[in-house]
């Protein structure tokens, strides 16, 4: 793969850009403090702005790494970040990138993550030259399943009791899209 790091991407309705320190309060209030958002995630919702500030500082430091892909999702009509989409894992040995996302619950059901995921898929295949894009979700998370279907990912199977989310150990559904199918 040809790693280029997190560069600005734009779609019809969205700007995907790097997190900025000025986004800290918005991130906290819109998505990181919302237990509904983190219900199916590995991390607990933030209980203080300090938690988000610490996480934001970590993200900012990681932007120096060309293999760090982490965008905030900014709808043009809203004008501020409402969530994130990122490479949760990069597997150079198989040219695979695992994508993860989260979005403020107030913005669910509006197609923003589907649009962001489609842009990230295009970027990873056409610019980074990935061979495989994969994503995972808890079986109960039907909204994430629909996003993956809309973006053309194929369900591959379920890994039994393979991850821990807020409710405990859970099965994980795995989906993927290969470059040969994308092109």
């Amino acid at each position: 793969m040809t790693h280029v790091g997190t560069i600005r991407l734009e779609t019809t309705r969205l700007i995907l850009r790097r997190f900025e320190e000025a986004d800290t309060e918005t991130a906290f209030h819109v998505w990181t403090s919302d237990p509904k958002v983190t219900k199916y995630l590995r991390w607990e919702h933030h209980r203080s702005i300090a938690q988000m500030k610490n996480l934001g500082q970590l993200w900012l430091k990681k932007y120096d790494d060309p293999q760090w892909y982490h965008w905030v999702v900014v709808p043009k009509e809203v004008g501020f970040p409402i969530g994130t989409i990122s490479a949760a894992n990069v597997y150079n040995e198989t040219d695979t990138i695992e994508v993860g996302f989260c979005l403020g619950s107030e913005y669910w059901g509006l197609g923003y993550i589907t649009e962001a995921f489609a842009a990230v898929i295009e970027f990873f295949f056409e610019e980074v030259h990935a061979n495989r894009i994969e994503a995972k979700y808890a079986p109960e998370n039907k909204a994430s399943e629909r996003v993956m279907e809309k973006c053309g990912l194929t369900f591959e199977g379920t890994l039994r009791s393979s991850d821990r989310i807020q409710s405990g150990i859970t099965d994980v559904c795995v989906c993927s899209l290969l470059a040969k199918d994308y092109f």
Side-chain angles (χ1 to χ4, degrees), residues 104-121:
S105 60
E106 183 179 338
Y107 300 95
W108 291 353
L110 301 173
Y112 289 134
I113 282 296
T114 302
E115 189 172 329
F117 197 7
V120 166
I121 288 169

Side-chain angles (χ1 to χ4, degrees), residues 13-19 23-34 37 41 43 59 70-85 101-116:
R13 299 186 303 156
L14 303 174
I15 294 170
L16 305 181
R17 62 163 173 80
R18 290 178 173 204
F19 173 83
D23 298 325
T24 302
E25 285 194 35
T26 300
F28 177 74
H29 293 295
V30 175
W31 75 90
T32 69
S33 66
D34 186 346
V37 172
L41 300 180
W43 51 277
W59 290 345
H70 183 81
W71 295 269
V72 291
V73 178
V74 182
K76 294 174 184 176
E77 65 187 31
V78 174
F80 55 81
I82 60 167
T84 60
I85 188 163
F101 48 80
C102 66
L103 187 71
S105 60
E106 183 179 338
Y107 300 95
W108 291 353
L110 301 173
Y112 289 134
I113 282 296
T114 302
E115 189 172 329

Side-chain angles (χ1 to χ4, degrees), residues 1-2 6 15 19 30 38 77 82 93 95 114 148 175:
M1 291 187 285
T2 308
T6 306
I15 294 170
F19 173 83
V30 175
T38 61
E77 65 187 31
I82 60 167
E93 62 278 0
D95 296 340
T114 302
M148 293 173 205
C175 298

Side-chain angles (χ1 to χ4, degrees), residues 121-140:
I121 288 169
E122 178 182 348
F123 169 75
F124 283 140
F125 282 138
E126 297 191 11
E127 302 296 325
V128 179
H129 309 291
N131 178 57
R132 173 185 164 92
I133 305 294
E134 68 181 31
K136 300 173 182 172
Y137 63 93
E140 306 83 26

